[in-house]
Amino acid sequence: MAETAVQASPKRGDERLGFILVTLSALFWSFGGAIARFVEAGDSWTVVFWRSVWAAAFLIGFMVWRDGVRGTLALFRKMGLPGVAVGMCFAIASTSFVVALAYTTVANVVLMQAGVPLLAALMGWIIFRERVSLPTWFAIAAVIAGVAIMVSESFTGDVSPIGDGLALLIAVAFSSATVMTRRFAHVRMTPATCLGTLIAAAFAATQASTVMVSGVDMAWLFAFGALNLGLGLALFATGARLIPAAFAALLGTLETVLGPVWVWLIHGETPSARTVLGGTVIFAALLVHIALEFRRQAQPRKPGVTGMPAPR
């Protein structure tokens, strides 16, 4: 079954499956920060290497199971330069996530990522002059304000500017990948991100002081790479094609909500007041924007036609 775009309106059962898969992907992704805190390896590059290796192994296995060896090779060939660019963005984002956790809180990293859909809209306007509606402009302004509140904590010395800078870089990298994927519709998420994990692993191998880890750490790194990153991505790539983009974005906010909660419950890492305030501004802007998108998509395009457009 090759990974192709959905051309027709999904059946009710397929749409329900899409909801379940995307929700599960957000749930698996939300455990990333909590899992990372269990890894005792002192070198962040060692963590990046093994997380990327396990994620790549899982994604390659998933594509071979789904598409066969020839189909998997065909997906990589069809990516072209846009796919390589998306893979590079993903490599930067996944690497920065691990390194940022050594400098700042999980809440800072995760909550900044909530603004990715709106940052992508801003980048699309700057680079490709894509039309941006007035409500989206207000939401973008709110996201920028929320990020400014969170980053301002770096200037007080309470949080490392390196950590907040890397957290912001993650959001920019994901936004860039989103814009390129939308601009070049033939780019497939699974092989592009798999390429990103391979790039991240290769670069981390040149930076790590050692790739030797304990058996316990290897078990956590397997969960961090194969289950948290690889399985989460496979679930999202499969489910997001079955539901409208606004629904996928809304379900994706589950990661933003649960990520800091797991770390607080498991590791006792409490987010600061500025992180909570800035994250609330970003999160509220995203939810309002998604609600307006629901309303827009639910409006009939012509008399007698209702419902939301088919996902692409």
Side-chain angles (χ1 to χ4, degrees):
M1 179 177 61
E3 185 178 355
T4 56
V6 176
Q7 300 296 331
S9 299
K11 298 178 181 178
R12 184 176 297 274
D14 290 340
E15 193 171 71
R16 187 180 298 112
L17 176 62
F19 279 117
I20 295 173
L21 293 177
V22 173
T23 300
L24 287 175
S25 73
L27 179 62
F28 276 99
W29 281 335
S30 70
F31 283 101
I35 294 173
R37 291 294 189 239
F38 280 111
V39 179
E40 296 181 355
D43 191 344
S44 296
W45 291 110
T46 303
V47 177
V48 172
F49 172 77
W50 282 112
R51 188 195 191 205
S52 301
V53 166
W54 285 121
F58 181 92
L59 291 171
I60 291 173
F62 171 74
M63 287 186 289
V64 169
W65 169 76
R66 185 192 61 186
D67 304 311
V69 175
R70 291 185 179 180
T72 299
L73 293 175
L75 286 175
F76 278 101
R77 286 196 300 268
K78 292 177 181 178
M79 288 192 311
L81 290 178
V84 175
V86 170
M88 286 295 297
C89 288
F90 186 79
I92 293 171
S94 60
T95 300
S96 298
F97 178 80
V98 175
V99 179
L101 291 177
Y103 293 93
T104 190
T105 64
V106 172
N108 276 44
V109 176
V110 174
L111 289 172
M112 253 186 225
Q113 294 179 50
V116 166
L118 300 176
L119 288 177
L122 178 61
M123 294 177 67
W125 174 75
I126 294 174
I127 300 174
F128 299 113
R129 309 308 298 178
E130 293 180 352
R131 181 179 176 275
V132 178
S133 65
L134 184 61
T136 301
W137 278 120
F138 282 118
I140 289 171
V143 168
I144 293 174
V147 170
I149 293 172
M150 296 175 68
V151 173
S152 67
E153 199 168 33
S154 301
F155 305 134
T156 66
D158 296 331
V159 175
S160 167
I162 296 177
D164 278 351
L166 289 171
L168 184 58
L169 178 61
I170 295 169
V172 172
F174 271 126
S175 300
S176 301
T178 301
V179 171
M180 283 187 285
T181 301
R182 185 169 64 231
R183 190 71 176 181
F184 303 97
H186 67 281
V187 176
R188 300 304 174 204
M189 181 184 297
T190 309
T193 50
C194 181
L195 175 64
T197 61
L198 294 172
I199 294 172
F203 182 74
T206 66
Q207 303 298 312
S209 58
T210 178
V211 295
M212 300 298 293
V213 296
S214 67
V216 174
D217 271 355
M218 185 62 78
W220 286 116
L221 288 168
F222 171 80
F224 198 21
L227 303 181
N228 168 247
L229 182 58
L231 179 57
L233 179 61
L235 291 169
F236 184 85
T238 305
R241 296 165 53 244
L242 302 176
I243 59 177
F247 277 122
L250 178 60
L251 294 173
T253 60
L254 185 65
E255 177 193 2
T256 306
V257 175
L258 294 179
V261 173
W262 299 138
V263 180
W264 171 60
L265 291 176
I266 298 173
H267 300 283
E269 182 177 292
T270 305
S272 66
R274 292 195 189 188
T275 296
V276 173
L277 177 59
T280 300
V281 172
I282 295 172
F283 195 60
L286 177 62
L287 289 182
V288 170
H289 182 265
I290 291 173
L292 293 174
E293 182 67 11
F294 281 162
R295 182 178 179 183
R296 183 190 67 81
Q297 291 187 0
Q299 293 176 347
R301 295 191 174 186
K302 58 183 179 180
V305 178
T306 59
M308 305 179 79
R312 295 184 179 276

